[in-house]
Amino acid sequence: TRILPIAAADEPILHQPARAVTDLSDPAIQRLLDDMLATLQAANGVGIAAPQVFAPLRIIIAASRPNPRYPDAPLMEPVVMVNPQILWQSAETCTGWEGCLSVPGLRSPLARSARLRVRYLTRRGDSVEADYEGFIARIIQHECDHLDGILFVERVE
Ligand SMILES: O=C(O)C[C@@H](Cc1ccccc1)[C@H](O)SCc1ccccc1
Ligand SMILES: [Zn+2]
């Protein structure tokens, strides 16, 4: 397991759409998942997307935990989502602080859907549909934006 370098905001890979994963049994993909988790934890993040570690693939990890800005954020087992699709998101939004591992030092309030339904593949290839709300929904929206080449700073009014 390696801690991978994190792409800075000016890297082209962060501004282009990532490709769907076609072969989850590929050992290189499974190693990437382990490396993304190690990198996320080393960076004290609550989420990470594959393009941030220079892999143009549709993979995200959400790992909410209580933190200074979100003291009541749920502590969750990190969830790996391969080829995540947001099936539904509430028109209702809530505004909260966001940061980005690729934009060090910048924090800004941003409105996100309060609730969403996601379909994704687990790292073992099982298809899952799950509902999220609050801070975890925020993380998932932030990470899915990375898969489409969108940085949170581009959404700030
Ligand atoms: O750059 C990333 O994608 C990871 C962000 C995820 C994030 C999503 C939504 C709201 C805040 C962060 C990093 O975790 S930035 C570090 C961080 C950690 C806790 C709270 C705020 C920022
Ligand atoms: Zn980010």
Side-chain angles (χ1 to χ4, degrees):
T1 302
R2 292 182 314 130
I3 294 174
L4 302 173
I6 291 179
D10 60 338
E11 293 284 351
I13 192 163
L14 289 178
H15 301 277
Q16 64 194 47
R19 295 191 305 277
V21 172
T22 51
D23 180 8
L24 255 176
S25 63
D26 180 346
I29 296 287
Q30 292 299 322
R31 189 173 321 113
L32 172 63
L33 298 178
D34 294 334
D35 292 349
M36 283 176 67
L37 199 50
T39 304
L40 167 64
Q41 286 163 340
N44 275 327
V46 292
I48 195 166
Q52 291 184 282
V53 292
F54 295 95
L57 296 170
R58 302 189 78 78
I59 302 170
I60 69 170
I61 300 178
S64 169
R65 56 173 165 72
N67 60 86
R69 287 204 189 283
Y70 293 85
D72 53 0
L75 179 62
M76 70 187 280
E77 270 302 297
V79 58
V80 171
M81 297 187 176
V82 177
N83 301 338
Q85 293 169 281
I86 295 177
L87 301 176
W88 173 84
Q89 59 188 105
S90 62
E92 182 203 354
T93 64
C94 52
T95 297
W97 286 93
E98 292 198 14
C100 184
L101 297 174
S102 298
V103 190
L106 198 151
R107 296 271 190 272
S108 175
L110 186 53
R112 295 280 192 182
S113 291
R115 290 184 308 285
L116 52 80
R117 174 162 298 180
V118 198
R119 175 170 43 219
Y120 63 91
L121 291 178
T122 66
R123 68 183 295 170
R124 296 180 53 221
D126 302 311
S127 182
V128 171
E129 275 187 32
D131 295 345
Y132 293 97
E133 62 181 17
F135 185 51
I136 302 177
R138 177 177 302 279
I139 296 171
I140 293 169
Q141 291 171 78
H142 178 113
E143 303 311 333
C144 285
D145 271 354
H146 276 306
L147 303 184
D148 295 333
I150 299 167
L151 294 183
F152 86 105
V153 290
E154 296 165 50
R155 288 190 180 279
V156 171
E157 302 294 326

